[in-house]
Amino acid sequence: DSSEAPTTGRFEMGTHYTRLSPTQPTSSNPDQIEVAEVFWYGCPHCFEFDPMLEQWRTQQPGYVNFVRVPAVWNPVLQLHARAFYTAELLGKGAEMHGEFFREIHERNNRLDSEAALQEFFGRFGVAADAFKMQFDSFAVQEKLQRADELNRRYRIESVPTIVVNGKYTTDAPQVGSYEALLTRVDELLRRQHLRASGQRHESEPEEQLVRSHRLFLRQLTGLSFARISRVVPGRIPVTYATSLLR
């Protein structure tokens, strides 16, 4: 969708970010734009990125809903994902999130067993039986299944990856740095918000192309749909062409 191009021209779709097709459903309210980080507590890049992301998150307007989705592609990641959701359901998510990273990367405790996690949770006032009950609960298992589905739908190959509104994915290697990554996310958010509010950027080259296509097609409005399809074969997709006439 060329009309979804970035607002500054600094980033290119296919190089600096990827368009998911089809767009994936989000868990946020319809009037919100969802930003999801796919991450792993054992990832040093996620650990490095997390303070910047936390600061960025606190500065977002109310229409932005930030969520985290743990990566789950091997048993250790699944264990840490289970710990993430256990902390969340115990009401300890915000308190423990940064500590998970520090325990692994600064204290060299890999938290790679249930016993190690139980001891770790105990430091935050979680009794062993309460930890075990939640860790093995259906609610946590359901969240893990949802995370696995999202990882597949988002076509996650590395972490950290940012997903904007179920529509775009981007990461630091694509854009060059974590700072550039957040700039890219800001641009995508701005674009989505403007589209949701009915505003357009008519000065963009892509919009000019759309306008020229619309003008051309309006000259053909006296023709039947079938004849329009024949007039512009291979130039403008038929579904796109007809949408411009609406």
Side-chain angles (χ1 to χ4, degrees):
D1 186 349
S2 60
S3 67
E4 300 279 358
T7 55
T8 67
R10 175 181 174 183
F11 301 105
E12 285 185 33
M13 186 162 63
T15 300
H16 302 109
Y17 65 107
T18 302
R19 175 71 159 89
L20 290 171
S21 182
T23 298
Q24 300 302 316
T26 70
S27 59
S28 300
N29 293 330
D31 60 344
Q32 291 182 309
I33 301 173
E34 183 176 283
V35 176
E37 181 205 17
V38 185
F39 78 104
W40 170 41
Y41 281 128
C43 166
H45 307 294
C46 298
F47 175 49
E48 183 182 359
F49 181 46
D50 193 65
M52 284 180 269
L53 184 59
E54 279 292 296
Q55 182 178 15
W56 175 88
R57 182 173 69 90
T58 62
Q59 299 168 348
Q60 297 312 299
Y63 63 81
V64 175
N65 184 41
F66 176 77
V67 299
R68 287 188 170 92
V69 179
V72 291
W73 61 69
N74 69 37
V76 173
L77 273 68
Q78 291 163 17
L79 185 73
H80 288 171
R82 186 177 288 274
F84 168 76
Y85 287 126
T86 298
E88 183 181 84
L89 290 171
L90 288 170
K92 299 283 186 178
E95 180 183 0
M96 295 183 68
H97 175 71
E99 289 302 315
F100 275 114
F101 278 123
R102 285 185 281 275
E103 186 71 12
I104 293 172
H105 299 282
E106 294 179 354
R107 303 178 194 115
N108 298 314
N109 179 2
R110 297 178 61 191
L111 296 175
D112 56 0
S113 69
E114 184 177 336
L117 286 167
Q118 180 178 303
E119 188 278 329
F120 182 64
F121 272 75
R123 300 183 212 167
F124 296 88
V126 179
D129 56 347
F131 166 79
K132 180 67 174 174
M133 182 177 297
Q134 198 63 264
F135 192 74
D136 293 335
S137 68
F138 176 76
V140 166
Q141 185 59 38
E142 203 170 37
K143 286 179 176 291
L144 285 171
Q145 291 174 352
R146 174 61 175 164
D148 181 60
E149 179 185 1
L150 289 174
N151 274 247
R152 294 174 189 275
R153 285 178 175 270
Y154 296 155
R155 302 173 199 140
I156 299 300
E157 297 179 351
S158 63
V159 289
T161 293
I162 300 293
V163 185
V164 178
N165 222 31
K167 187 177 290 188
Y168 304 105
T169 64
T170 186
D171 57 31
Q174 282 184 296
V175 296
S177 69
Y178 295 126
E179 292 80 5
L181 173 57
L182 292 176
T183 298
R184 170 75 286 226
V185 172
D186 284 338
E187 290 196 2
L188 289 170
L189 279 172
R190 188 180 310 115
R191 185 66 172 173
Q192 290 293 288
H193 183 56
L194 289 173
R195 285 176 63 83
S197 61
Q199 300 180 52
R200 303 172 68 90
H201 285 269
E202 296 290 355
S203 61
E204 293 178 16
E206 290 79 12
E207 286 294 341
Q208 293 172 4
L209 178 63
V210 169
R211 291 175 68 191
S212 67
H213 283 174
R214 185 183 290 114
L215 179 62
F216 171 67
L217 288 168
R218 286 192 185 283
Q219 295 171 355
L220 305 176
T221 53
L223 302 177
S224 68
F225 174 79
R227 290 187 66 190
I228 290 174
S229 299
R230 286 196 296 272
V231 169
V232 290
R235 300 282 182 181
I236 308 170
V238 170
T239 54
Y240 172 60
T242 54
S243 73
L244 295 178
L245 291 171
R246 294 172 186 167

